């Protein structure tokens, strides 16, 4: 397995890389992020890059990545402005999908870290949601709308 982790500097991206480093079935781990990783990594190769699809595509092709884990979704506007969250969640997701797509792409699996914001929270919502359920109400905030748009793009890509 040859894995690319986007959002390596995030808590989830860093923890995932640490776990994959202990898995002998994982041959290569490449992590990308515009910021330095926040945890100690032994065999993960770090590339400082944002969500630029041309650069990501080059990394995917050169490293023959077969699995991409997108762990960089912004789910809290306290950590990023609405503009930054939109760029990360919507534009960034589109760029990553573009980098992974195409008939010559080695990518066979894409894992997308989403959020409960996708489903929302309203009084008449079901007690439990399943993966195949759609959001029953329109998003109430810009962040929710961005997460819905990103998640829908991934579903369409699949």
């Amino acid at each position: 397995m040859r894995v690319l982790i986007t959002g390596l500097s995030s808590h989830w991206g860093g923890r995932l890389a640490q776990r994959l480093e202990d898995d002998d079935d994982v041959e290569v781990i490449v992590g990308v992020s515009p910021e330095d990783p926040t945890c100690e990594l032994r065999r993960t190769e770090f590339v400082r890059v944002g969500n630029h699809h041309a650069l990501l595509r080059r990394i995917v092709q050169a490293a023959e990545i077969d699995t991409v884990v997108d762990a960089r979704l912004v789910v809290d506007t306290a950590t990023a402005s609405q503009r930054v969250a939109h760029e990360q969640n919507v534009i960034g997701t589109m760029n990553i999908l573009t980098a992974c797509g195409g008939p010559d792409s080695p990518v066979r699996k894409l894992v997308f870290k989403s959020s409960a914001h996708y489903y929302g929270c309203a009084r008449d919502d079901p007690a439990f949601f399943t993966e195949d359920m759609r959001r029953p109400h329109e998003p109430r905030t810009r962040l929710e709308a961005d997460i819905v748009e990103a998640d829908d793009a991934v579903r369409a890509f699949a």
Side-chain angles (χ1 to χ4, degrees):
M1 186 181 310
R2 303 175 72 82
V3 181
L4 172 72
I5 301 171
T6 67
L8 185 66
S9 65
S10 72
H11 172 77
W12 296 113
R15 295 286 295 143
L16 175 62
Q18 287 177 325
R19 293 300 298 259
L20 290 176
E21 287 179 338
D22 295 332
D23 187 339
D24 293 335
D25 292 334
V26 179
E27 181 182 351
V28 172
I29 307 163
V30 178
V32 297
S33 182
E35 298 90 27
D36 288 339
T38 57
C39 60
E40 187 175 329
L41 300 168
R42 297 181 322 276
R43 64 182 189 103
T44 300
E45 296 180 47
F46 170 63
V47 180
R48 183 185 306 279
V49 65
N51 299 322
H52 307 288
H53 62 83
L55 297 175
L56 292 170
R57 181 178 281 288
R58 275 204 253 160
I59 293 167
V60 164
Q61 295 289 341
E64 299 175 351
I65 298 296
D66 57 56
T67 303
V68 174
V69 180
D70 186 5
R72 43 137 218 105
L73 195 73
V74 174
V75 297
D76 183 2
T77 53
T79 62
S81 69
Q82 281 189 351
R83 183 187 61 78
V84 169
H86 178 77
E87 287 175 8
Q88 278 286 94
N89 294 346
V90 178
I91 308 303
T93 299
M94 299 296 185
N95 286 342
I96 289 165
L97 296 177
T98 299
C100 293
D104 63 334
S105 176
V107 175
R108 297 294 166 248
K109 293 180 186 173
L110 173 72
V111 179
F112 177 70
K113 176 194 157 288
S114 189
S115 167
H117 286 296
Y118 178 79
Y119 299 105
C121 181
R123 295 179 85 136
D124 58 343
D125 282 347
F128 298 97
F129 284 94
T130 64
E131 286 291 320
D132 60 341
M133 293 175 78
R134 305 288 301 164
R135 182 186 178 102
H137 305 285
E138 290 297 314
R140 291 184 292 177
T141 68
R142 183 70 220 159
L143 179 66
E144 286 181 8
D146 287 347
I147 290 172
V148 168
E149 188 174 347
D151 207 286
D152 287 348
V154 171
R155 286 175 190 264
F157 179 80

